[in-house]
Amino acid sequence: MADLLVDLTSLYKRKITGVEIYGIEFYKALLKTKHRIIPIFRIENTIDDNPNSIIIPYSNRIIVENYSIPRIIRKSNADVIFFPVFPPPITVYNSRIKIIPTIHDLAFKYYFKTLSWKAKIYLIPKYNKALKKSNKIITISETVRNQLENVSSVEIINLGNNISDQYKTEYYSYNIAALDKFNLENGEYIISVSTIEPRKNLIYLFKIWEQLDKEFERYKLVLTGRYGWGNDKDLDTYILKFRDSIIFTGYVSQKELIDLYHFSGSFVLLSHYEGFGRTPLEAYSCGANVIVSDIPIFRENMNKLAVTFVTLDSLSTAINTIRKSIIEKKKNNILPDSYYNVLDKTIAENINNII
């Protein structure tokens, strides 16, 4: 039995979205192995009552990541430390403990200009060091695994991403009253769920909405997710122009999100780049009509599902494709069981090779 550290300090006082959800589900999957799992939290364990937990008493992220975690690694007798959310501090390598991060995507290389200045200064050096010095790297799709192999000589292991079975219809009773909070009508809105930042390609969506708003007069465009970064005057102009037909929900709870998926007219995500694309699969699981950009990762994960793929190269073609999809409403689809709780299976099958 091995002792496995898991860095979960990034969960402290953060909105629980894609990478944070992955970190939690990665940890829970590790708990189902035969090994001793030692999670590291900042201030408090917000997940469970694991008696092996290490609680760092400092709230400051810079201190925790660059002082506390390296100190824990130096003093620990553990065999491995996983970093499932963000990359390791640059000072933890050349330790007797194996350093294994999860790298979710290569936006820090391919879409450098779209990143916040904080990410450019603080996170990118960590990612670049991880590409060179990690013992192994975990990733979440074949698309990203192939991209990583072009920039790193470290062994790359694709464990896949994870859709919780909480999204399965049989485990959830949909509540239409949830729409009242946002003044929405059943089936009369299009929802997009993501951090509002440049890589998510909102300008393209707004250009499409400029036409569709005239045709689907009762519809609203619902944007759900936290504000990220970027100072785009065109984006501000569109938001002002469509102030009567666009609704920003901000961050919502998982229960609210499930209801918003289910009662939507369609779900749409037209990203330039994704490492996995979790939200379209969540929406599909909730019975939504799913529309996504025609990019490699969506083709990898959704090519066999009844989703609509939209070109990013022709605005007129994209408008026609989305218009047709909204009218046809490919709803009430069933997400195959193979998409759910993937990490439970892949970690169980690969844990000995990983550690």
Side-chain angles (χ1 to χ4, degrees):
M1 182 175 73
D3 286 354
L4 310 179
L5 293 165
V6 188
D7 172 36
L8 296 173
T9 57
S10 56
L11 301 181
Y12 177 67
K13 284 193 173 180
R14 282 184 65 88
K15 302 295 186 184
I16 304 301
T17 58
V19 292
E20 292 84 12
I21 292 171
Y22 174 90
I24 293 168
E25 293 177 350
F26 182 91
Y27 164 63
K28 289 181 178 179
L30 283 177
L31 288 174
K32 296 176 183 178
T33 70
K34 65 181 180 180
H35 301 289
R36 183 170 177 257
I37 311 304
I38 309 167
I40 306 172
F41 293 94
R42 182 166 30 145
I43 302 297
E44 61 180 341
N45 179 345
T46 56
I47 300 177
D48 59 18
D49 56 357
N50 188 335
N52 300 318
S53 299
I54 296 174
I55 309 296
I56 297 173
Y58 307 113
S59 62
N60 184 281
R61 177 181 177 182
I62 303 300
I63 293 174
V64 168
E65 292 182 357
N66 298 288
Y67 170 74
S68 302
I69 291 176
R71 186 169 181 268
I72 288 169
I73 291 173
R74 287 195 301 270
K75 292 191 170 185
S76 175
N77 292 318
D79 301 280
V80 173
I81 181 167
F82 292 103
F83 291 86
V85 182
F86 291 126
I90 61 175
T91 57
V92 300
Y93 299 95
N94 300 319
S95 165
R96 67 164 202 83
I97 296 179
K98 292 181 181 178
I99 309 297
I100 304 179
T102 295
I103 295 184
H104 298 260
D105 60 55
L106 270 75
F108 64 94
K109 284 194 171 292
Y110 298 145
Y111 288 87
F112 176 84
K113 291 182 179 180
T114 73
L115 301 180
S116 69
W117 66 267
K118 291 180 181 179
K120 291 175 182 177
I121 293 172
Y122 187 65
L123 284 179
I124 289 180
K126 291 185 174 186
Y127 277 119
N128 287 331
K129 190 74 175 278
L131 291 176
K132 296 177 181 178
K133 296 293 186 178
S134 300
N135 294 92
K136 295 180 182 180
I137 294 172
I138 292 169
T139 194
I140 61 176
S141 68
E142 283 300 292
T143 298
V144 178
R145 184 182 68 81
N146 292 333
Q147 292 169 349
L148 281 167
E149 287 181 342
N150 290 329
V151 297
S152 177
S153 60
V154 175
E155 180 184 354
I156 313 295
I157 302 171
N158 171 24
L159 293 181
N161 207 316
N162 209 65
I163 305 299
S164 170
D165 59 12
Q166 292 180 48
Y167 287 91
K168 284 187 175 182
T169 301
E170 59 262 40
Y171 295 127
Y172 187 81
S173 177
Y174 297 107
N175 178 20
I176 197 168
L179 302 185
D180 295 341
K181 177 179 178 180
F182 307 106
N183 196 27
L184 295 170
E185 297 293 332
N186 183 11
E188 293 186 354
Y189 62 94
I190 296 169
I191 185 170
S192 187
V193 180
S194 67
T195 299
I196 298 171
E197 53 101 343
R199 183 163 47 101
K200 304 303 181 178
N201 204 15
L202 280 176
I203 292 293
Y204 195 66
L205 176 58
F206 285 156
K207 288 179 178 179
I208 292 169
W209 184 246
E210 191 168 23
Q211 177 61 39
L212 297 181
D213 187 36
K214 301 172 185 176
E215 301 178 27
F216 300 92
E217 293 181 358
R218 292 177 58 86
Y219 270 58
K220 302 291 185 182
L221 177 60
V222 177
L223 302 177
T224 294
R226 62 184 175 86
Y227 279 89
W229 51 90
N231 184 17
D232 193 321
K233 292 182 179 179
D234 289 337
L235 188 64
D236 293 337
T237 299
Y238 277 113
I239 291 172
L240 180 62
K241 180 177 182 179
F242 298 126
R243 60 185 178 274
D244 294 330
S245 63
I246 294 179
I247 295 174
F248 288 91
T249 69
Y251 178 79
V252 299
S253 69
Q254 185 185 52
K255 289 182 178 180
E256 289 175 315
L257 182 58
I258 288 173
D259 289 324
L260 287 172
Y261 282 144
H262 180 73
F263 293 110
S264 67
S266 295
F267 168 94
V268 60
L269 185 62
L270 302 181
S271 301
H272 288 296
Y273 176 78
E274 296 281 347
F276 183 80
R278 181 189 185 102
T279 56
L281 288 171
E282 290 176 349
Y284 194 97
S285 180
C286 295
N289 174 45
V290 172
I291 303 168
V292 293
S293 49
D294 196 352
I295 59 175
I297 190 59
F298 290 151
R299 283 290 181 179
E300 176 185 336
N301 290 331
M302 301 175 211
N303 213 25
K304 296 181 180 179
L305 303 177
V307 305
T308 298
F309 294 97
V310 177
T311 180
L312 298 182
D313 298 327
S314 169
L315 184 62
S316 60
T317 301
I319 291 170
N320 289 332
T321 301
I322 293 177
R323 177 192 294 115
K324 181 180 178 182
S325 183
I326 291 172
I327 293 171
E328 291 180 350
K329 292 185 179 178
K330 302 172 184 175
K331 296 193 69 164
N332 300 316
N333 300 304
I334 297 176
L335 192 65
D337 285 343
S338 59
Y339 283 86
Y340 294 101
N341 300 327
V342 169
L343 289 173
D344 287 356
K345 179 180 179 182
T346 54
I347 287 178
E349 290 177 346
N350 293 280
I351 190 66
N352 291 331
N353 177 51
I354 294 170
I355 64 175

